């Protein structure tokens, strides 16, 4: 055994250690170079994907503007048509009048925080995330959920473009056929939409992580697109009903924007 050890020591001592060191350094540099190239490729692909997303969202915003113009033209076609929205407008104005009361304003601000985080929570559940923590108070409001490969963007921007309370109230129009109760429901739909607008104006900021995380331009385009569609849906509901309003906002009117390019 002693002779074998001596032979190994002699063999190693006679090896050119500089060659071994050069080989190790070359291998390390090659690996580092490959990692940098992979990182650059990934970064370039991400930027290309971001630009394509922004282009697609820009097209959707233009289509939404066509939907808005068509909606306003239809809903202002006559005085009788405008009067159908009276309860909606009164409810919208009533919210801001109530907001002037200090105690109501204080409670409403807490409710804004709650709805903001609750909307995050609802969309996290829609994308099969596990909710770890939900907290709303004066010092810290947040919702914590598990990660996933899909859904980060809609979960992040959802409070800024989804009027959760308004969408929850729309189906209530099917619970009655009485004109008076329909007016009452439209009144509360108007109030809930005013609440959403107040949340949106007070909470959206360009420096917020919810906006900067997915990309500022991408987030603002998506929020603008959905806010326009929300407004059109609310405005069409009293005269068209929920189902027809949905069909017009998401099918009929958008197709009208492409009618120029479609064969007759």
């Amino acid at each position: 055994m002693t002779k074998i050890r001596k032979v190994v020591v002699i063999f190693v001592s006679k090896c050119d250690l500089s060659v071994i060191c050069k080989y190790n350094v070359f291998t390390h540099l090659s690996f580092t170079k490959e990692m940098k190239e992979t990182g650059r490729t990934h970064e370039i692909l991400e930027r290309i994907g971001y630009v394509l997303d922004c282009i697609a969202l820009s097209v959707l915003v233009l289509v939404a503007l066509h939907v808005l113009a068509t909606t306003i033209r239809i809903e202002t076609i006559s005085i009788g048509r405008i009067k159908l929205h009276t309860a909606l407008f009164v409810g919208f104005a009533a919210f801001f009048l109530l907001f002037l009361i200090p105690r109501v304003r204080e409670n409403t601000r807490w409710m804004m925080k709650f709805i903001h985080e609750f909307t995050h929570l609802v969309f996290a559940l829609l994308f099969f995330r596990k909710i770890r923590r939900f907290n709303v108070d004066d010092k810290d409001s947040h919702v914590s959920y598990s990660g996933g490969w899909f859904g980060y963007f809609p979960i992040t921007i959802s409070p800024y473009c989804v009027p959760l309370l308004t969408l929850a109230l729309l189906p209530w129009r099917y619970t009655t056929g009485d004109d008076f109760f329909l007016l009452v429901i439209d009144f509360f739909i108007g109030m809930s939409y005013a609440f959403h607008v107040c949340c949106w104006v007070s909470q959206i900021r360009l420096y917020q992580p919810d906006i900067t995380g997915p990309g500022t331009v991408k987030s603002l385009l998506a929020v603008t697109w959905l806010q326009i569609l929300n407004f059109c849906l609310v405005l069409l509901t009293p005269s068209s009903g929920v189902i027809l309003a949905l069909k017009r906002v998401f099918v009929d009117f958008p197709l009208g924007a492409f009618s120029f390019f479609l064969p007759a």
Side-chain angles (χ1 to χ4, degrees):
M1 289 295 294
T2 305
K3 290 182 179 180
I4 294 174
R5 288 177 184 174
K6 287 181 180 179
V7 171
V8 171
V9 171
I10 292 169
F11 175 78
V12 172
S13 64
K14 289 184 177 180
C15 286
D16 191 348
L17 294 179
S18 62
V19 174
I20 297 174
C21 291
K22 287 179 181 178
Y23 175 78
N24 290 335
V25 171
F26 178 76
T27 305
H28 175 71
L29 290 175
S30 300
F31 179 74
T32 304
K33 186 178 179 181
E34 289 177 4
M35 289 293 291
K36 286 182 178 179
E37 289 178 354
T38 303
R40 281 199 208 97
T41 304
H42 182 69
E43 184 179 352
I44 291 171
L45 290 175
E46 278 191 343
R47 289 183 179 180
I48 292 173
Y50 182 82
V51 171
L52 291 176
D53 287 344
C54 290
I55 292 172
L57 287 169
S58 298
V59 173
L60 291 175
V61 169
L62 293 176
V63 173
L65 289 173
H66 172 80
V67 173
L68 176 63
T70 307
T71 299
I72 293 175
R73 178 173 56 82
I74 289 176
E75 296 306 312
T76 58
I77 199 169
S78 66
I79 299 298
R81 191 87 170 184
I82 295 174
K83 286 182 178 179
L84 293 174
H85 304 85
T86 302
L88 196 70
F89 295 149
V90 171
F92 190 89
F95 171 82
F96 290 102
L97 291 175
L98 289 172
F99 196 72
L100 297 175
I101 302 172
R103 181 56 62 88
V104 174
R105 183 166 61 248
E106 181 181 345
N107 290 333
T108 301
R109 283 174 177 166
W110 181 89
M111 189 66 177
M112 288 178 182
K113 293 180 183 179
F114 177 84
I115 290 297
H116 181 99
E117 302 302 336
F118 187 71
T119 307
H120 279 310
L121 183 145
V122 169
F123 273 76
L125 291 174
L126 288 175
F127 287 95
F128 305 103
R129 304 298 176 85
K130 181 181 179 181
I131 306 302
R132 291 172 177 158
R133 182 175 174 80
F134 179 80
N135 182 70
V136 178
D137 56 40
D138 295 334
K139 296 181 180 180
D140 180 35
S141 299
H142 68 277
V143 57
S144 176
Y145 50 86
S146 61
W149 65 275
F150 180 71
Y152 167 72
F153 185 49
I155 294 171
T156 303
I157 69 166
S158 57
Y160 306 97
C161 53
V162 179
L164 206 61
L165 294 178
T166 303
L167 296 179
L169 283 171
L170 290 179
W172 284 89
R173 296 190 97 253
Y174 289 102
T175 62
T176 180
D178 186 86
D179 291 339
F180 174 76
F181 286 110
L182 284 175
L183 291 175
V184 172
I185 294 170
D186 287 343
F187 174 84
F188 284 109
I189 289 174
M191 284 194 74
S192 67
Y193 188 69
F195 173 80
H196 170 70
V197 170
C198 195
C199 289
W200 174 52
V201 172
S202 63
Q203 293 175 352
I204 192 166
R205 296 290 184 272
L206 294 180
Y207 56 81
Q208 279 190 311
D210 286 347
I211 301 299
T212 59
T216 303
V217 176
K218 180 179 175 181
S219 298
L220 293 178
L221 285 171
V223 169
T224 302
W225 168 52
L226 291 171
Q227 286 289 15
I228 294 173
L229 296 184
N230 289 331
F231 176 76
C232 294
L233 179 61
V234 171
L235 199 62
L236 284 166
T237 295
S239 59
S240 304
V242 179
I243 298 299
L244 183 56
L246 286 168
K247 184 173 179 292
R248 284 179 166 179
V249 169
F250 293 102
V251 180
D252 296 342
F253 294 171
L255 286 177
F258 296 102
S259 60
F260 179 78
F261 302 99
L262 296 175

